[in-house]
Amino acid sequence: MDPQHFRRITAFVEARLTPLFDAATGSTHGFGMDDTSRALRALRATVLAASAVEGVFEQRDRADGEIRQIADQALAHNWDVLRRIARNWEDHPDFLREFKRDSWEFDDEPAPAAAAEI
């Protein structure tokens, strides 16, 4: 797993969420204090938090032993959070098979630059 995997899954989820916050589409959700708006904001915050892994990758690359293991656990957890969110749109034409993969299935394989793995 590498930062490209995280960028792709985050972009996919953000592309599903962004229109829900766009007032130009007539959406009133995301801006108010109703439960739907709160849920949308919470979901977006979760995606943003889980996708903030650049620093973890940098630390992982320089770390050894126990620190590398902790970084791996953090990356696996964040990937699993994003994967579970993305799988809600599994039937979407832009959904990639890699979004179904568990973190341990990557085995340090680098992400293709522009994967068209559908």
Side-chain angles (χ1 to χ4, degrees):
M1 196 167 24
D2 68 19
Q4 287 289 12
H5 292 110
F6 279 89
R7 285 186 200 108
R8 276 200 296 275
I9 198 167
T10 301
F12 173 79
V13 173
E14 279 291 322
R16 313 286 77 75
L17 293 179
T18 299
L20 301 176
F21 286 90
D22 188 359
T25 66
S27 174
T28 58
H29 298 303
F31 305 105
M33 293 310 289
D34 59 288
D35 284 345
T36 300
S37 294
R38 289 176 177 158
L40 287 171
R41 288 193 304 271
L43 178 58
R44 177 168 267 170
T46 301
V47 170
L48 292 175
S51 65
V53 295
E54 293 291 329
V56 178
F57 275 106
E58 290 170 12
Q59 292 296 322
R60 181 187 183 273
D61 291 343
R62 292 185 293 227
D64 60 334
E66 193 172 309
I67 300 299
R68 186 176 178 104
Q69 187 176 19
I70 292 168
D72 286 343
Q73 290 172 352
L75 291 169
H77 170 75
N78 287 16
W79 175 260
D80 289 341
V81 168
L82 292 170
R83 180 176 62 93
R84 286 184 186 115
I85 293 169
R87 294 225 26 205
N88 285 285
W89 290 278
E90 194 170 341
D91 61 340
H92 193 278
D94 294 337
F95 186 88
L96 302 178
R97 279 188 300 234
E98 75 182 45
F99 301 161
K100 292 172 116 176
R101 294 172 73 182
D102 286 305
S103 56
W104 65 83
E105 294 180 281
F106 288 98
D107 291 333
D108 291 333
E109 78 180 45
E117 183 183 315
I118 297 178

PDB file of all heavy atoms in Angstrom, residues 23-52:
ATOM      1  N   ALA A  23     -24.617  23.589  -2.929  1.00  0.00           N
ATOM      2  CA  ALA A  23     -25.906  24.301  -2.954  1.00  0.00           C
ATOM      3  C   ALA A  23     -26.392  24.521  -4.382  1.00  0.00           C
ATOM      4  O   ALA A  23     -27.594  24.628  -4.626  1.00  0.00           O
ATOM      5  CB  ALA A  23     -25.772  25.633  -2.227  1.00  0.00           C
ATOM      6  N   ALA A  24     -25.467  24.549  -5.341  1.00  0.00           N
ATOM      7  CA  ALA A  24     -25.844  24.749  -6.744  1.00  0.00           C
ATOM      8  C   ALA A  24     -26.687  23.583  -7.265  1.00  0.00           C
ATOM      9  O   ALA A  24     -27.441  23.740  -8.217  1.00  0.00           O
ATOM     10  CB  ALA A  24     -24.601  24.923  -7.610  1.00  0.00           C
ATOM     11  N   THR A  25     -26.571  22.434  -6.650  1.00  0.00           N
ATOM     12  CA  THR A  25     -27.372  21.282  -7.069  1.00  0.00           C
ATOM     13  C   THR A  25     -28.724  21.263  -6.385  1.00  0.00           C
ATOM     14  O   THR A  25     -29.515  20.358  -6.589  1.00  0.00           O
ATOM     15  CB  THR A  25     -26.648  19.952  -6.751  1.00  0.00           C
ATOM     16  OG1 THR A  25     -26.546  19.819  -5.335  1.00  0.00           O
ATOM     17  CG2 THR A  25     -25.292  19.868  -7.399  1.00  0.00           C
ATOM     18  N   GLY A  26     -28.960  22.261  -5.547  1.00  0.00           N
ATOM     19  CA  GLY A  26     -30.220  22.330  -4.829  1.00  0.00           C
ATOM     20  C   GLY A  26     -30.170  21.627  -3.490  1.00  0.00           C
ATOM     21  O   GLY A  26     -31.162  21.563  -2.780  1.00  0.00           O
ATOM     22  N   SER A  27     -28.999  21.108  -3.135  1.00  0.00           N
ATOM     23  CA  SER A  27     -28.860  20.417  -1.861  1.00  0.00           C
ATOM     24  C   SER A  27     -28.915  21.415  -0.712  1.00  0.00           C
ATOM     25  O   SER A  27     -28.285  22.460  -0.751  1.00  0.00           O
ATOM     26  CB  SER A  27     -27.529  19.665  -1.804  1.00  0.00           C
ATOM     27  OG  SER A  27     -27.345  19.115  -0.524  1.00  0.00           O
ATOM     28  N   THR A  28     -29.679  21.076   0.280  1.00  0.00           N
ATOM     29  CA  THR A  28     -29.696  21.877   1.502  1.00  0.00           C
ATOM     30  C   THR A  28     -28.996  21.127   2.628  1.00  0.00           C
ATOM     31  O   THR A  28     -28.899  21.618   3.740  1.00  0.00           O
ATOM     32  CB  THR A  28     -31.142  22.198   1.939  1.00  0.00           C
ATOM     33  OG1 THR A  28     -31.843  20.965   2.129  1.00  0.00           O
ATOM     34  CG2 THR A  28     -31.846  23.044   0.897  1.00  0.00           C
ATOM     35  N   HIS A  29     -28.529  19.931   2.324  1.00  0.00           N
ATOM     36  CA  HIS A  29     -27.863  19.106   3.328  1.00  0.00           C
ATOM     37  C   HIS A  29     -26.415  19.540   3.518  1.00  0.00           C
ATOM     38  O   HIS A  29     -25.785  20.087   2.631  1.00  0.00           O
ATOM     39  CB  HIS A  29     -27.914  17.634   2.940  1.00  0.00           C
ATOM     40  CG  HIS A  29     -29.298  17.103   2.856  1.00  0.00           C
ATOM     41  ND1 HIS A  29     -30.190  17.138   3.898  1.00  0.00           N
ATOM     42  CD2 HIS A  29     -29.963  16.532   1.831  1.00  0.00           C
ATOM     43  CE1 HIS A  29     -31.322  16.607   3.531  1.00  0.00           C
ATOM     44  NE2 HIS A  29     -31.221  16.235   2.277  1.00  0.00           N
ATOM     45  N   GLY A  30     -25.914  19.260   4.676  1.00  0.00           N
ATOM     46  CA  GLY A  30     -24.525  19.544   4.980  1.00  0.00           C
ATOM     47  C   GLY A  30     -24.316  20.892   5.629  1.00  0.00           C
ATOM     48  O   GLY A  30     -23.301  21.127   6.258  1.00  0.00           O
ATOM     49  N   PHE A  31     -25.276  21.782   5.483  1.00  0.00           N
ATOM     50  CA  PHE A  31     -25.089  23.139   5.974  1.00  0.00           C
ATOM     51  C   PHE A  31     -25.875  23.426   7.246  1.00  0.00           C
ATOM     52  O   PHE A  31     -25.564  24.343   7.981  1.00  0.00           O
ATOM     53  CB  PHE A  31     -25.499  24.159   4.904  1.00  0.00           C
ATOM     54  CG  PHE A  31     -24.783  23.944   3.603  1.00  0.00           C
ATOM     55  CD1 PHE A  31     -25.431  23.382   2.515  1.00  0.00           C
ATOM     56  CD2 PHE A  31     -23.444  24.282   3.470  1.00  0.00           C
ATOM     57  CE1 PHE A  31     -24.767  23.179   1.320  1.00  0.00           C
ATOM     58  CE2 PHE A  31     -22.769  24.083   2.277  1.00  0.00           C
ATOM     59  CZ  PHE A  31     -23.437  23.529   1.208  1.00  0.00           C
ATOM     60  N   GLY A  32     -26.917  22.654   7.483  1.00  0.00           N
ATOM     61  CA  GLY A  32     -27.802  22.931   8.603  1.00  0.00           C
ATOM     62  C   GLY A  32     -27.453  22.163   9.854  1.00  0.00           C
ATOM     63  O   GLY A  32     -26.396  21.543   9.967  1.00  0.00           O
ATOM     64  N   MET A  33     -28.359  22.211  10.789  1.00  0.00           N
ATOM     65  CA  MET A  33     -28.178  21.497  12.049  1.00  0.00           C
ATOM     66  C   MET A  33     -29.119  20.299  12.140  1.00  0.00           C
ATOM     67  O   MET A  33     -29.325  19.741  13.215  1.00  0.00           O
ATOM     68  CB  MET A  33     -28.396  22.449  13.231  1.00  0.00           C
ATOM     69  CG  MET A  33     -27.331  23.535  13.330  1.00  0.00           C
ATOM     70  SD  MET A  33     -25.638  22.901  13.258  1.00  0.00           S
ATOM     71  CE  MET A  33     -25.522  22.106  14.847  1.00  0.00           C
ATOM     72  N   ASP A  34     -29.686  19.886  11.011  1.00  0.00           N
ATOM     73  CA  ASP A  34     -30.518  18.688  10.989  1.00  0.00           C
ATOM     74  C   ASP A  34     -29.611  17.453  11.026  1.00  0.00           C
ATOM     75  O   ASP A  34     -28.411  17.535  10.797  1.00  0.00           O
ATOM     76  CB  ASP A  34     -31.405  18.679   9.736  1.00  0.00           C
ATOM     77  CG  ASP A  34     -30.568  18.729   8.473  1.00  0.00           C
ATOM     78  OD1 ASP A  34     -29.982  19.806   8.185  1.00  0.00           O
ATOM     79  OD2 ASP A  34     -30.479  17.701   7.791  1.00  0.00           O
ATOM     80  N   ASP A  35     -30.174  16.316  11.331  1.00  0.00           N
ATOM     81  CA  ASP A  35     -29.380  15.096  11.476  1.00  0.00           C
ATOM     82  C   ASP A  35     -28.682  14.678  10.180  1.00  0.00           C
ATOM     83  O   ASP A  35     -27.554  14.187  10.217  1.00  0.00           O
ATOM     84  CB  ASP A  35     -30.248  13.941  11.989  1.00  0.00           C
ATOM     85  CG  ASP A  35     -30.546  14.071  13.470  1.00  0.00           C
ATOM     86  OD1 ASP A  35     -29.865  14.863  14.164  1.00  0.00           O
ATOM     87  OD2 ASP A  35     -31.456  13.364  13.949  1.00  0.00           O
ATOM     88  N   THR A  36     -29.324  14.879   9.039  1.00  0.00           N
ATOM     89  CA  THR A  36     -28.692  14.523   7.772  1.00  0.00           C
ATOM     90  C   THR A  36     -27.455  15.377   7.531  1.00  0.00           C
ATOM     91  O   THR A  36     -26.398  14.863   7.142  1.00  0.00           O
ATOM     92  CB  THR A  36     -29.684  14.677   6.602  1.00  0.00           C
ATOM     93  OG1 THR A  36     -30.803  13.822   6.834  1.00  0.00           O
ATOM     94  CG2 THR A  36     -29.035  14.319   5.284  1.00  0.00           C
ATOM     95  N   SER A  37     -27.557  16.664   7.770  1.00  0.00           N
ATOM     96  CA  SER A  37     -26.399  17.553   7.603  1.00  0.00           C
ATOM     97  C   SER A  37     -25.269  17.169   8.551  1.00  0.00           C
ATOM     98  O   SER A  37     -24.100  17.141   8.162  1.00  0.00           O
ATOM     99  CB  SER A  37     -26.802  19.007   7.846  1.00  0.00           C
ATOM    100  OG  SER A  37     -27.703  19.442   6.859  1.00  0.00           O
ATOM    101  N   ARG A  38     -25.616  16.870   9.777  1.00  0.00           N
ATOM    102  CA  ARG A  38     -24.601  16.468  10.756  1.00  0.00           C
ATOM    103  C   ARG A  38     -23.919  15.165  10.322  1.00  0.00           C
ATOM    104  O   ARG A  38     -22.707  15.018  10.449  1.00  0.00           O
ATOM    105  CB  ARG A  38     -25.235  16.306  12.130  1.00  0.00           C
ATOM    106  CG  ARG A  38     -25.622  17.617  12.749  1.00  0.00           C
ATOM    107  CD  ARG A  38     -26.333  17.418  14.051  1.00  0.00           C
ATOM    108  NE  ARG A  38     -26.616  18.709  14.649  1.00  0.00           N
ATOM    109  CZ  ARG A  38     -27.553  18.923  15.533  1.00  0.00           C
ATOM    110  NH1 ARG A  38     -28.322  17.934  15.930  1.00  0.00           N
ATOM    111  NH2 ARG A  38     -27.740  20.122  16.024  1.00  0.00           N
ATOM    112  N   ALA A  39     -24.712  14.231   9.829  1.00  0.00           N
ATOM    113  CA  ALA A  39     -24.146  12.953   9.386  1.00  0.00           C
ATOM    114  C   ALA A  39     -23.212  13.156   8.192  1.00  0.00           C
ATOM    115  O   ALA A  39     -22.139  12.545   8.125  1.00  0.00           O
ATOM    116  CB  ALA A  39     -25.262  11.979   9.023  1.00  0.00           C
ATOM    117  N   LEU A  40     -23.597  14.010   7.255  1.00  0.00           N
ATOM    118  CA  LEU A  40     -22.734  14.287   6.107  1.00  0.00           C
ATOM    119  C   LEU A  40     -21.428  14.940   6.534  1.00  0.00           C
ATOM    120  O   LEU A  40     -20.349  14.589   6.038  1.00  0.00           O
ATOM    121  CB  LEU A  40     -23.460  15.175   5.093  1.00  0.00           C
ATOM    122  CG  LEU A  40     -24.565  14.500   4.292  1.00  0.00           C
ATOM    123  CD1 LEU A  40     -25.353  15.544   3.494  1.00  0.00           C
ATOM    124  CD2 LEU A  40     -23.986  13.434   3.376  1.00  0.00           C
ATOM    125  N   ARG A  41     -21.502  15.891   7.446  1.00  0.00           N
ATOM    126  CA  ARG A  41     -20.281  16.539   7.934  1.00  0.00           C
ATOM    127  C   ARG A  41     -19.399  15.541   8.677  1.00  0.00           C
ATOM    128  O   ARG A  41     -18.175  15.537   8.531  1.00  0.00           O
ATOM    129  CB  ARG A  41     -20.617  17.735   8.828  1.00  0.00           C
ATOM    130  CG  ARG A  41     -21.169  18.920   8.054  1.00  0.00           C
ATOM    131  CD  ARG A  41     -21.209  20.195   8.889  1.00  0.00           C
ATOM    132  NE  ARG A  41     -21.943  20.083  10.136  1.00  0.00           N
ATOM    133  CZ  ARG A  41     -23.250  20.314  10.279  1.00  0.00           C
ATOM    134  NH1 ARG A  41     -23.979  20.683   9.230  1.00  0.00           N
ATOM    135  NH2 ARG A  41     -23.836  20.223  11.462  1.00  0.00           N
ATOM    136  N   ALA A  42     -20.011  14.680   9.461  1.00  0.00           N
ATOM    137  CA  ALA A  42     -19.241  13.666  10.193  1.00  0.00           C
ATOM    138  C   ALA A  42     -18.565  12.695   9.226  1.00  0.00           C
ATOM    139  O   ALA A  42     -17.398  12.336   9.413  1.00  0.00           O
ATOM    140  CB  ALA A  42     -20.151  12.908  11.156  1.00  0.00           C
ATOM    141  N   LEU A  43     -19.284  12.288   8.197  1.00  0.00           N
ATOM    142  CA  LEU A  43     -18.702  11.389   7.202  1.00  0.00           C
ATOM    143  C   LEU A  43     -17.531  12.054   6.489  1.00  0.00           C
ATOM    144  O   LEU A  43     -16.469  11.456   6.330  1.00  0.00           O
ATOM    145  CB  LEU A  43     -19.765  10.958   6.191  1.00  0.00           C
ATOM    146  CG  LEU A  43     -19.293  10.048   5.066  1.00  0.00           C
ATOM    147  CD1 LEU A  43     -18.685   8.769   5.617  1.00  0.00           C
ATOM    148  CD2 LEU A  43     -20.457   9.744   4.132  1.00  0.00           C
ATOM    149  N   ARG A  44     -17.713  13.297   6.068  1.00  0.00           N
ATOM    150  CA  ARG A  44     -16.625  14.017   5.395  1.00  0.00           C
ATOM    151  C   ARG A  44     -15.420  14.173   6.322  1.00  0.00           C
ATOM    152  O   ARG A  44     -14.281  13.983   5.910  1.00  0.00           O
ATOM    153  CB  ARG A  44     -17.081  15.376   4.893  1.00  0.00           C
ATOM    154  CG  ARG A  44     -15.919  16.149   4.269  1.00  0.00           C
ATOM    155  CD  ARG A  44     -16.365  17.336   3.517  1.00  0.00           C
ATOM    156  NE  ARG A  44     -16.539  16.926   2.134  1.00  0.00           N
ATOM    157  CZ  ARG A  44     -17.102  17.674   1.218  1.00  0.00           C
ATOM    158  NH1 ARG A  44     -17.581  18.845   1.519  1.00  0.00           N
ATOM    159  NH2 ARG A  44     -17.203  17.249  -0.014  1.00  0.00           N
ATOM    160  N   ALA A  45     -15.648  14.495   7.583  1.00  0.00           N
ATOM    161  CA  ALA A  45     -14.545  14.637   8.539  1.00  0.00           C
ATOM    162  C   ALA A  45     -13.815  13.306   8.727  1.00  0.00           C
ATOM    163  O   ALA A  45     -12.582  13.278   8.831  1.00  0.00           O
ATOM    164  CB  ALA A  45     -15.069  15.150   9.877  1.00  0.00           C
ATOM    165  N   THR A  46     -14.549  12.216   8.748  1.00  0.00           N
ATOM    166  CA  THR A  46     -13.938  10.893   8.875  1.00  0.00           C
ATOM    167  C   THR A  46     -13.068  10.582   7.661  1.00  0.00           C
ATOM    168  O   THR A  46     -11.940  10.090   7.806  1.00  0.00           O
ATOM    169  CB  THR A  46     -15.025   9.816   9.040  1.00  0.00           C
ATOM    170  OG1 THR A  46     -15.794  10.121  10.207  1.00  0.00           O
ATOM    171  CG2 THR A  46     -14.431   8.428   9.152  1.00  0.00           C
ATOM    172  N   VAL A  47     -13.562  10.886   6.483  1.00  0.00           N
ATOM    173  CA  VAL A  47     -12.783  10.659   5.255  1.00  0.00           C
ATOM    174  C   VAL A  47     -11.518  11.500   5.273  1.00  0.00           C
ATOM    175  O   VAL A  47     -10.425  10.998   4.976  1.00  0.00           O
ATOM    176  CB  VAL A  47     -13.634  10.954   4.000  1.00  0.00           C
ATOM    177  CG1 VAL A  47     -12.778  10.954   2.741  1.00  0.00           C
ATOM    178  CG2 VAL A  47     -14.766   9.943   3.877  1.00  0.00           C
ATOM    179  N   LEU A  48     -11.637  12.764   5.620  1.00  0.00           N
ATOM    180  CA  LEU A  48     -10.458  13.636   5.654  1.00  0.00           C
ATOM    181  C   LEU A  48      -9.439  13.149   6.682  1.00  0.00           C
ATOM    182  O   LEU A  48      -8.233  13.133   6.415  1.00  0.00           O
ATOM    183  CB  LEU A  48     -10.870  15.077   5.940  1.00  0.00           C
ATOM    184  CG  LEU A  48     -11.667  15.761   4.838  1.00  0.00           C
ATOM    185  CD1 LEU A  48     -12.130  17.144   5.291  1.00  0.00           C
ATOM    186  CD2 LEU A  48     -10.862  15.850   3.557  1.00  0.00           C
ATOM    187  N   ALA A  49      -9.904  12.728   7.846  1.00  0.00           N
ATOM    188  CA  ALA A  49      -8.985  12.248   8.883  1.00  0.00           C
ATOM    189  C   ALA A  49      -8.302  10.951   8.454  1.00  0.00           C
ATOM    190  O   ALA A  49      -7.088  10.791   8.614  1.00  0.00           O
ATOM    191  CB  ALA A  49      -9.735  12.041  10.193  1.00  0.00           C
ATOM    192  N   ALA A  50      -9.055  10.030   7.883  1.00  0.00           N
ATOM    193  CA  ALA A  50      -8.484   8.744   7.482  1.00  0.00           C
ATOM    194  C   ALA A  50      -7.546   8.866   6.287  1.00  0.00           C
ATOM    195  O   ALA A  50      -6.662   8.035   6.099  1.00  0.00           O
ATOM    196  CB  ALA A  50      -9.601   7.747   7.166  1.00  0.00           C
ATOM    197  N   SER A  51      -7.724   9.906   5.499  1.00  0.00           N
ATOM    198  CA  SER A  51      -6.881  10.063   4.306  1.00  0.00           C
ATOM    199  C   SER A  51      -5.616  10.869   4.580  1.00  0.00           C
ATOM    200  O   SER A  51      -4.750  10.966   3.708  1.00  0.00           O
ATOM    201  CB  SER A  51      -7.682  10.708   3.173  1.00  0.00           C
ATOM    202  OG  SER A  51      -8.048  12.031   3.518  1.00  0.00           O
ATOM    203  N   ALA A  52      -5.468  11.410   5.763  1.00  0.00           N
ATOM    204  CA  ALA A  52      -4.294  12.225   6.107  1.00  0.00           C
ATOM    205  C   ALA A  52      -3.144  11.311   6.540  1.00  0.00           C
ATOM    206  O   ALA A  52      -2.833  11.196   7.717  1.00  0.00           O
ATOM    207  CB  ALA A  52      -4.648  13.217   7.199  1.00  0.00           C
TER     208      ALA A  52
END
